[in-house]
Amino acid sequence: AQDGTRVELTIQRIADGEVSPYLVDELVVGDRLELRGPVGGWFVWRPEQTEPVLLVAGGSGLVPLMCMIRARQAVGSRVPFRLIYSLRSPQEQLYGPELLTGAPGLDVTRIYTRQAAAGAARPAGRITPEDLANHGWPPDFEPHVYVCGPTGFVEKAAAYLV
């Protein structure tokens, strides 16, 4: 919660995973958990920032970026956000209804890597420099850019952005 009284977890269930099946199928309200921050470090968008924002998410890397989208909406910020969300297929989308309704000033582009959505203009495939150029901000806008996802995805997307 915005007031610091609640933590929301987003769990992507991996069928043969060691932890996610337990968290999705067994965990109940009242169970105690011990949490630590992200392994790779952390980053924050602050409402006083006025530059446009580009969020580049790979799979469950959308989770921390969604926090930024929600924080922007909660404070009524008019800073324009663009989200480029790379995911395997439409069935794997996180926050589906929330991202579909969107918010004023939030543009969402989905890049499907294995199975494109019906009627998608772009065929399935990994994110490319052209995707980032076509759906991101021009460099002279000097956007704040946040990239989150699996290590290989982050390294590739960051290299393309640079």
Side-chain angles (χ1 to χ4, degrees):
Q2 292 293 326
D3 63 3
T5 61
R6 187 179 75 160
V7 172
E8 179 179 326
L9 298 177
T10 301
I11 310 298
Q12 183 176 23
R13 189 181 197 290
I14 308 298
D16 60 347
E18 292 181 35
V19 177
S20 68
Y22 171 80
L23 294 175
V24 172
D25 301 333
E26 306 293 329
L27 193 68
V28 296
V29 173
D31 285 352
R32 296 182 64 123
L33 298 173
E34 182 177 326
L35 303 173
R36 285 184 292 150
V39 175
W42 56 276
F43 46 78
V44 177
W45 173 79
R46 300 194 188 285
E48 58 271 13
Q49 293 174 220
T50 58
E51 302 81 9
V53 173
L54 174 60
L55 306 172
V56 182
S60 61
L62 176 62
V63 174
L65 304 181
M66 195 67 193
C67 293
M68 294 180 191
I69 291 168
R70 289 175 173 172
R72 175 190 174 273
Q73 189 168 2
V75 299
S77 173
R78 305 216 14 109
V79 170
F81 271 41
R82 289 187 176 168
L83 167 64
I84 300 174
Y85 179 21
S86 176
L87 63 160
R88 290 184 183 123
S89 70
Q91 296 77 26
E92 294 198 18
Q93 179 168 308
L94 301 175
Y95 309 106
E98 192 171 353
L99 284 178
L100 284 176
T101 57
L106 170 64
D107 296 321
V108 180
T109 300
R110 291 162 189 82
I111 306 291
Y112 299 103
T113 61
R114 296 196 182 151
Q115 175 196 348
R122 180 193 185 278
R126 296 193 182 272
I127 198 165
T128 66
E130 292 76 22
D131 293 322
L132 296 168
N134 292 338
H135 303 291
W137 296 104
D140 58 330
F141 281 37
E142 298 181 4
H144 277 262
V145 180
Y146 302 91
V147 182
C148 195
T151 302
F153 173 86
V154 170
E155 289 173 352
K156 184 72 79 172
Y160 292 158
L161 288 161
V162 169

